[in-house]
Amino acid sequence: LRGTGVSKRTVTAVAGVAGLLALTGCGINIGSASTSGLGSDTSKATIVVTPSEIDGHASVDSPITVVAQNGHLTDITVTGPKGATINGALNADGTAWTSAIHALAFGATYKIAAHALDLEGKLAEVSSELSTVTPDKTFSGQLVNFSSGDKVGVGMPVRIEFNRPIKDRTSVERHLQVRASKPVVGAWRWDSDRTAVTFRPQTYWPGNTSIKVAARLRGADAGSGAYGSKDLLFKFSTGVARVYTVDAGSDEMVVRQADKKGKMKVVHTAPITSGKSGFETRSGTLVMMAKEGTVVMDAATGGTPVGSSNYYKLTVSDSIRITPSGEYLHAAPWSVGAQGRANVSHGCVGMSTGNAEWMWDNSSVGDVVVIKNSGRKQDLDNGITDWNIPWVKWLKGSKLGAQEVGPAAPDTIPAPPVADPGTPAGPAPMSSKHPYSGATG
């Protein structure tokens, strides 16, 4: 920070200060002086401005703060690019001012002028500038698997994918904030290649819960000269808690759903058939990825050649995808005779048309699907498989660990400005261009 000075004019204290605001960052003492006229004594008040410059440049991922130590602020003027006035607010006792903007502009200069009085009425003044960093490169993130505003099942995790690997994961994770209308303990976990981070609760989300996520990436330092280019703000909600359990040993599907008191109760059972020998359905805890409805299932998309005894091409109704590789829950009227008795499919979970219609009418993307006793383990890279990772192991992939994300959770990042821009929605999770490899049938 550059420049300090002594004011020769009379200063009047500012009235009508705003409520207490949190202060962030670290700073340096950039000036103290006296105009009290009491000999050569200087003011005991000092004024500290943040962010401070490091190697000649300040970070942009926090607001500007002006703090009076051993005194109170009397007036503050902050201007930004093109001389625009930067608004802010004082705390209740006039000792700290925080800008309304939570992220500064890249490659910009901000000018700060402030006065403070100590307890003896002696005046301190600061007049300074700070120049912000110009990034060598930027990064951005996007929400996947669902879109902002969606209502999903209680098994849906929050996944953000980045357009470049994140070197400083701790720095970026500090800018990720989750809020839920009901108390939840959860944690972020990074993919091994550092290009994605996923948040999930320790157990499933509570039913009928509103969740907001603020990924305040604008200005976040990812290391190696990369800074976040824009924020990612979104919200979603969960519906009623619902779990589908498919037992490949007994060839039965049991559906449990929370009642009004939150107790899980059986609401439906159905005979099913799952993958036969050599095509076993993967066991594990999955999440309904997409309700695709009527789907043409062609075994060739999964590598089975035309002419093989295992080749098929069928039009299938009430299809709900659970893996990118092509496992579905769907209607299979051709195998009703085997349902409840034998596994004859190529990996999908088949049921009668009536049971499939019930499932379609009583399911949501994000509902939990537990498959057991198939003899084949779940591939963790095939679908939304986060619930197969034990909580202790999940935490090892987090930089900040478990956190309470209920409505009373403490802030981990600066609050947004009053006039925050709109909330960008994430991309629709299922499109005609998704990289799925078809259906297993």
Side-chain angles (χ1 to χ4, degrees):
L1 296 174
R2 296 186 293 276
T4 60
V6 179
S7 172
K8 297 299 184 181
R9 60 187 175 85
T10 303
V11 180
T12 303
V14 176
V17 294
L20 182 63
L21 295 178
L23 302 180
T24 61
C26 58
I28 57 174
N29 177 9
I30 57 173
S32 63
S34 172
T35 58
S36 65
L38 299 178
S40 61
D41 292 340
T42 59
S43 174
K44 293 182 175 61
T46 57
I47 301 173
V48 178
V49 176
T50 61
S52 58
E53 291 185 353
I54 300 175
D55 296 329
H57 295 95
S59 64
V60 300
D61 60 345
S62 64
I64 295 173
T65 63
V66 182
V67 178
Q69 298 176 345
N70 301 315
H72 66 274
L73 296 164
T74 59
D75 63 89
I76 302 162
T77 301
V78 179
T79 58
K82 299 181 180 180
T85 299
I86 305 300
N87 295 320
L90 284 165
N91 65 354
D93 60 7
T95 59
W97 179 94
T98 304
S99 67
I101 55 173
H102 74 273
L104 309 183
F106 289 119
T109 298
Y110 292 82
K111 296 181 179 180
I112 302 99
H115 296 84
L117 291 174
D118 67 10
L119 296 178
E120 297 177 355
K122 298 176 182 179
L123 182 68
E125 177 191 24
V126 65
S127 178
S128 65
E129 292 183 357
L130 63 88
S131 297
T132 58
V133 65
T134 299
D136 295 330
K137 50 195 172 184
T138 61
F139 74 92
S140 61
Q142 67 173 356
L143 172 68
V144 297
N145 297 324
F146 65 96
S147 297
S148 181
D150 283 355
K151 178 180 284 189
V152 298
V154 298
M156 182 62 77
V158 175
R159 181 174 175 83
I160 298 174
E161 295 183 352
F162 302 101
N163 63 343
R164 67 170 65 248
I166 303 299
K167 181 178 180 180
D168 192 340
R169 291 169 294 170
T170 301
S171 171
V172 172
E173 191 172 324
R174 285 198 179 103
H175 290 75
L176 307 177
Q177 186 181 72
V178 182
R179 288 286 177 268
S181 61
K182 297 178 182 179
V184 179
V185 174
W188 294 95
R189 184 178 189 271
W190 290 86
D191 283 13
S192 59
D193 64 2
R194 303 185 178 208
T195 60
V197 65
T198 303
F199 183 93
R200 53 154 272 207
Q202 183 172 359
T203 54
Y204 306 134
W205 293 104
N208 302 310
T209 299
S210 298
I211 301 111
K212 295 182 179 180
V213 180
R216 299 202 176 277
L217 303 175
R218 177 78 170 86
D221 187 351
S224 300
Y227 292 82
S229 60
K230 59 183 178 180
D231 292 342
L232 177 62
L233 313 174
F234 57 91
K235 59 184 177 181
F236 66 102
S237 60
T238 59
V240 63
R242 191 182 296 116
V243 178
Y244 287 74
T245 301
V246 174
D247 191 332
S250 63
D251 294 315
E252 182 181 53
M253 180 175 73
V254 178
V255 185
R256 292 177 174 82
Q257 182 172 301
D259 61 15
K260 292 182 179 180
K261 295 183 179 180
K263 185 177 180 179
M264 299 297 287
K265 293 186 175 180
V266 175
V267 294
H268 191 75
T269 60
I272 57 91
T273 185
S274 65
K276 63 184 179 180
S277 179
F279 295 88
E280 291 86 353
T281 306
R282 295 169 177 85
S283 287
T285 302
L286 298 166
V287 172
M288 291 184 179
M289 300 180 66
K291 297 179 71 173
E292 297 183 14
T294 300
V295 175
V296 176
M297 297 188 178
D298 189 338
T301 62
T304 301
V306 177
S308 166
S309 60
N310 287 309
Y311 176 78
Y312 59 87
K313 186 174 183 180
L314 297 168
T315 299
V316 182
S317 64
D318 300 305
S319 301
I320 299 178
R321 185 184 287 272
I322 56 174
T323 69
S325 64
E327 290 173 339
Y328 288 81
L329 310 179
H330 63 74
W334 57 85
S335 65
V336 168
Q339 292 166 19
R341 300 189 305 108
N343 294 318
V344 298
S345 83
H346 291 77
C348 289
V349 176
M351 63 199 76
S352 70
T353 298
N355 283 318
E357 289 175 348
W358 185 95
M359 175 188 66
W360 182 269
D361 293 337
N362 294 274
S363 64
S364 299
V365 170
D367 280 352
V368 178
V369 179
V370 178
I371 299 175
K372 60 183 183 180
N373 299 323
S374 72
R376 183 182 183 186
K377 292 183 178 180
Q378 179 58 48
D379 178 359
L380 294 182
D381 293 325
N382 190 18
I384 303 174
T385 59
D386 305 289
W387 301 106
N388 296 284
I389 302 174
W391 181 243
V392 173
K393 185 176 180 180
W394 183 269
L395 292 178
K396 291 180 179 179
S398 175
K399 306 307 291 185
L400 301 181
Q403 55 184 286
E404 166 69 57
V405 301
D411 287 337
T412 57
I413 56 175
V418 174
D420 201 38
T423 301
M430 306 302 165
S431 71
S432 60
K433 297 180 180 180
H434 63 65
Y436 296 153
S437 60
T440 55

